Every structure is written in structure tokens, then in C-alpha cells.
């Protein structure tokens, strides 16, 4: 075996071992192995079925898990419907995939009534969405319980598309996540879309001289045609131009080219402390491109998935994910 091939294989084996050995505080792998042995397979098959019909749901489920964990912790509070709940906040109006979680919950209540939490279903669905989009699988520790509080006002501290790197760091640090986690988790924007209203400010009168100067000049006209000035702010645009359904490195490559869509995304390349992490994901030898990112993404997802957990006797196991018992 050639040295390069040997080291590639060694890195792969170490990487896979690393992903599979990560565990959380208060949760554990195989939590439902006795109480509901088919829990993970039921969630997986449900997500597969829905994503096969609509591939864009993968990004929706991944994003929903992020939005859940950053508000009240990973407790499924984003799933609760009703007036003034998290779902009604402006930042969450674009979330998609609630029907997938509801479908999985219905099946799980038939198989194992009152056992599997909605928070765990969402965490598992996010992982399965990554895999279905071409990403590397990772083990999801389970054992979360569902929260009983969901308030629209609590969503105001969610990371925003206009945040600077410093503000993003503050918000991630408050949740126990570091700069590596920040850059890695934003890599989830390799799939999915955003609305014109979240970045069109960069295209017109951003400065006295016109558009945001960090945008590749040859890319501006394309974005302006997608989001005309005073146009439909709800129109959806790919976060990762040219690769919106593939979990790959294209998102980071676009940042390097000045083609990040959100201001908060492009800021990762413009700040020295985060640029070096982006460069680290882009700078590996050809045969390993994407592997390091996939491994780190799994680690950071597990870390995020254990923010402010409710376990043991805290919270509840909802019968219906959209309603408190």
C-alpha cells in the first residue's frame, strides 16, 4: 500500500472511531435499546420516506434541531404549537418538517407508548437528514425529555443572519460551544435555503458605494436577479449556491470565493479566527476532502444536542409533539 493511501485509510478509521465514541452528559447511546428497540429505525425510515418525496425536508429537520437546542435547550419546545409559542416567532416561521416528527411520533406511540421523547425524535431526524444528504453518520446519545415551556420571546437570542463573528461567538459560548463548533455547525448551511429578506440588505445600499464589498463582484448581479430591490422578501434562495441538497464542502468553498449568502456566513471568512478553521476544512489532500468536516460536524452536533438537557424526572414524554401533556 502506498504511504498516502495508508495514511488516508488510517485517518478514516480514526475518524469513524471518533464519531462513534462521542457521548453526551445525561444522555447515552442506546437509551431505548430495551424500552423501545426499534425507536431509531422507526425514525430513520420515517425520515427516509418524507425526504424521498421532498429532499428539501432534510435541511428543514437539521435546522429545526438547531433552533430547538438554542432556545430552552434540546427539549422539543420548538415543536409546540399555539399562540406565542417558539414556532410563532419571526425567526422560526420558515422552519419545516414538523409533519415528519409528528409522523414518527405517531408510529412510536403505537410501538412503544409514552417512551420516546419528541426531543430525541428531532435529534435523530437531524442526524438521519445529514446522512440522506450525503454526510457521514454519527451516534446520537438519547434520553432527553420534553420541555413544558415554549415562548416566542425566548427565541430572540437565537443566532441571527446579520450577526458579526464576535456576536456569534458570544451566543455559542453562552451555550457551551466554542469557535470550532461555531464554524462547524454553520456548515449545516451546505444544504437548504434562506429567504431574500435575510440577506438582500447586502445587495443594495449596504455602504455608500453600493453592495457589501465582501461579496464577489461577479456574483452580485446573480443575487440581485434572484432578490430584486423591493421584491418578494419571502422568496427562497440556496444557502450553498450550486449544491443545496448535498452535504459537502461547497459551502466553505463559496465563503472563500466571497459567495456566502448570509452576512453571518461570509463573516467566517472575513475574520482571522474563523477563517483558519474554514481553511482547515478546505486544505486537506484530495482524497480526504470532506472527511475532517464530517467527523467534526458529528462531534459538534452531539455537543449541541446536549445543551441544557432535561433528563431523569425533568420535563415529560409528550404524547403528541405539538402539545404539552
Amino acid at each position: 500500500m502506498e504511504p498516502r493511501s495508508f495514511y488516508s485509510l488510517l485517518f478514516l478509521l480514526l475518524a469513524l472511531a471518533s464519531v462513534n465514541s462521542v457521548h453526551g452528559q445525561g444522555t447515552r447511546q442506546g437509551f431505548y435499546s430495551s424500552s423501545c428497540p426499534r425507536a431509531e429505525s422507526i425514525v430513520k425510515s420515517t425520515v427516509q420516506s418524507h425526504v424521498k418525496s421532498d429532499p428539501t425536508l432534510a435541511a428543514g429537520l437539521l435546522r429545526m434541531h438547531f433552533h430547538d437546542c438554542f432556545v430552552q435547550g434540546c427539549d422539543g419546545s420548538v415543536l409546540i404549537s399555539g399562540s406565542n409559542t417558539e414556532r410563532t416567532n419571526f425567526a422560526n416561521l420558515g422552519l419545516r418538517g414538523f409533519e415528519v416528527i409528528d409522523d414518527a411520533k405517531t408510529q412510536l406511540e403505537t410501538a412503544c407508548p409514552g417512551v420516546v421523547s419528541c426531543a430525541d425524535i428531532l435529534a435523530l431526524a437531524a442526524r438521519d437528514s445529514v446522512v440522506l444528504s450525503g454526510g457521514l453518520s454519527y451516534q446520537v446519545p438519547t434520553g432527553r425529555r420534553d420541555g413544558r415551556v415554549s415562548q416566542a420571546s425566548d427565541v430572540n437570542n437565537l443566532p441571527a443572519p446579520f450577526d458579526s463573528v464576535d456576536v456569534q461567538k458570544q451566543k455559542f459560548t453562552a451555550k457551551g460551544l466554542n469557535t470550532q463548533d461555531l464554524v462547524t455547525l454553520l456548515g449545516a448551511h451546505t444544504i437548504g435555503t434562506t429567504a431574500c429578506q435575510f440577506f438582500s440588505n447586502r445587495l443594495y445600499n449596504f455602504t455608500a458605494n453600493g453592495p457589501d464589498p465582501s461579496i464577489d463582484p461577479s456574483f452580485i448581479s446573480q443575487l440581485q436577479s434572484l432578490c430584486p430591490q423591493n421584491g418578494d422578501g419571502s422568496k427562497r434562495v440556496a444557502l450553498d449556491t450550486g449544491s443545496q441538497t448535498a452535504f459537502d464542502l461547497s459551502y466553505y468553498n463559496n465563503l472563500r470565493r466571497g459567495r456566502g449568502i448570509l452576512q453571518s456566513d461570509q463573516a467566517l471568512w472575513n475574520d482571522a479566527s474563523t477563517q483558519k478553521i474554514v481553511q482547515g476544512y478546505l486544505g486537506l489532500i484530495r482524497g480526504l476532502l470532506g472527511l475532517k468536516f464530517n467527523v467534526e460536524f458529528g462531534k459538534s452536533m452531539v455537543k449541541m444536542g446536549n445543551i441544557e438537557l432535561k433528563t431523569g424526572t425533568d420535563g415529560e414524554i409528550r404524547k403528541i409533539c405539538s402539545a404539552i401533556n
Side-chain angles (χ1 to χ4, degrees):
M1 181 181 291
E2 294 181 3
R4 178 169 171 171
S5 299
F6 170 78
Y7 286 115
S8 297
L9 178 60
L10 179 61
F11 186 92
L12 175 61
L13 292 174
L14 290 173
L16 292 175
S18 175
V19 171
N20 290 323
S21 66
V22 174
H23 60 86
Q25 301 297 316
T27 55
R28 68 175 190 270
Q29 294 174 19
F31 182 86
Y32 299 111
S33 58
S34 298
S35 58
C36 192
R38 294 182 55 236
E40 294 199 25
S41 63
I42 288 173
V43 174
K44 181 179 179 180
S45 63
T46 304
V47 174
Q48 284 178 326
S49 175
H50 284 269
V51 171
K52 183 177 181 181
S53 299
D54 182 1
T56 65
L57 283 172
L61 290 166
L62 180 55
R63 202 139 300 135
M64 193 190 301
H65 181 45
F66 181 93
H67 282 228
D68 183 40
C69 290
F70 264 76
V71 181
Q72 296 285 343
C74 309
D75 65 351
S77 55
V78 74
L79 301 169
I80 298 172
S81 62
S83 60
N84 297 317
T85 58
E86 292 174 30
R87 285 171 68 163
T88 66
N89 186 286
F90 179 74
N92 284 337
L93 295 181
L95 291 181
R96 301 177 61 240
F98 294 100
E99 70 278 16
V100 183
I101 305 302
D102 291 340
D103 187 1
K105 180 60 172 175
T106 298
Q107 295 180 55
L108 286 165
E109 283 300 300
T110 299
C112 321
V115 173
V116 182
S117 70
C118 299
D120 276 343
I121 295 172
L122 182 52
L124 292 167
R127 185 270 311 277
D128 296 336
S129 295
V130 169
V131 176
L132 289 170
S133 301
L136 190 67
S137 186
Y138 55 92
Q139 296 294 323
V140 177
T142 44
R144 301 167 187 80
R145 287 172 66 84
D146 297 321
R148 297 189 178 99
V149 176
S150 182
Q151 300 177 133
S153 58
D154 291 334
V155 182
N156 294 333
N157 289 325
L158 196 68
F162 313 107
D163 285 345
S164 66
V165 167
D166 285 343
V167 171
Q168 293 183 77
K169 283 181 179 179
Q170 291 169 9
K171 291 181 177 180
F172 274 69
T173 298
K175 299 300 180 181
L177 302 172
N178 58 32
T179 303
Q180 176 86 30
D181 298 317
L182 163 62
V183 176
T184 303
L185 290 171
L186 285 185
H189 289 170
T190 184
I191 57 175
T193 63
T194 187
C196 287
Q197 62 195 343
F198 294 125
F199 71 93
S200 58
N201 68 303
R202 303 181 67 208
L203 309 180
Y204 309 95
N205 304 315
F206 185 82
T207 68
N209 297 319
D212 184 342
S214 68
I215 302 176
D216 172 9
S218 66
F219 190 44
I220 291 173
S221 60
Q222 180 180 335
L223 292 178
Q224 289 177 333
S225 66
L226 292 170
C227 299
Q229 193 167 18
N230 302 317
D232 180 5
S234 64
K235 182 180 178 182
R236 308 298 296 185
V237 174
L239 281 163
D240 185 6
T241 305
S243 182
Q244 71 181 71
T245 59
F247 198 86
D248 55 22
L249 287 175
S250 176
Y251 164 79
Y252 294 116
N253 193 44
N254 277 330
L255 299 187
R256 178 168 59 183
R257 299 171 61 201
R259 293 186 168 221
I261 301 300
L262 300 179
Q263 186 175 339
S264 54
D265 284 343
Q266 190 58 50
L268 298 182
W269 183 257
N270 302 334
D271 183 281
S273 67
T274 48
Q275 185 189 98
K276 65 182 181 182
I277 299 174
V278 175
Q279 288 176 320
Y281 288 146
L282 292 173
L284 297 178
I285 61 174
R286 189 174 185 85
L288 296 178
L289 282 176
L291 182 57
K292 180 180 179 181
F293 164 58
N294 270 273
V295 171
E296 293 300 326
F297 188 81
K299 290 180 181 179
S300 291
M301 284 292 286
V302 170
K303 193 173 174 181
M304 182 190 77
N306 284 281
I307 293 174
E308 300 167 21
L309 289 183
K310 295 171 181 65
T311 57
T313 57
D314 292 339
E316 63 183 15
I317 304 296
R318 283 184 222 137
K319 295 180 176 66
I320 300 172
C321 289
S322 61
I324 298 168
N325 290 346

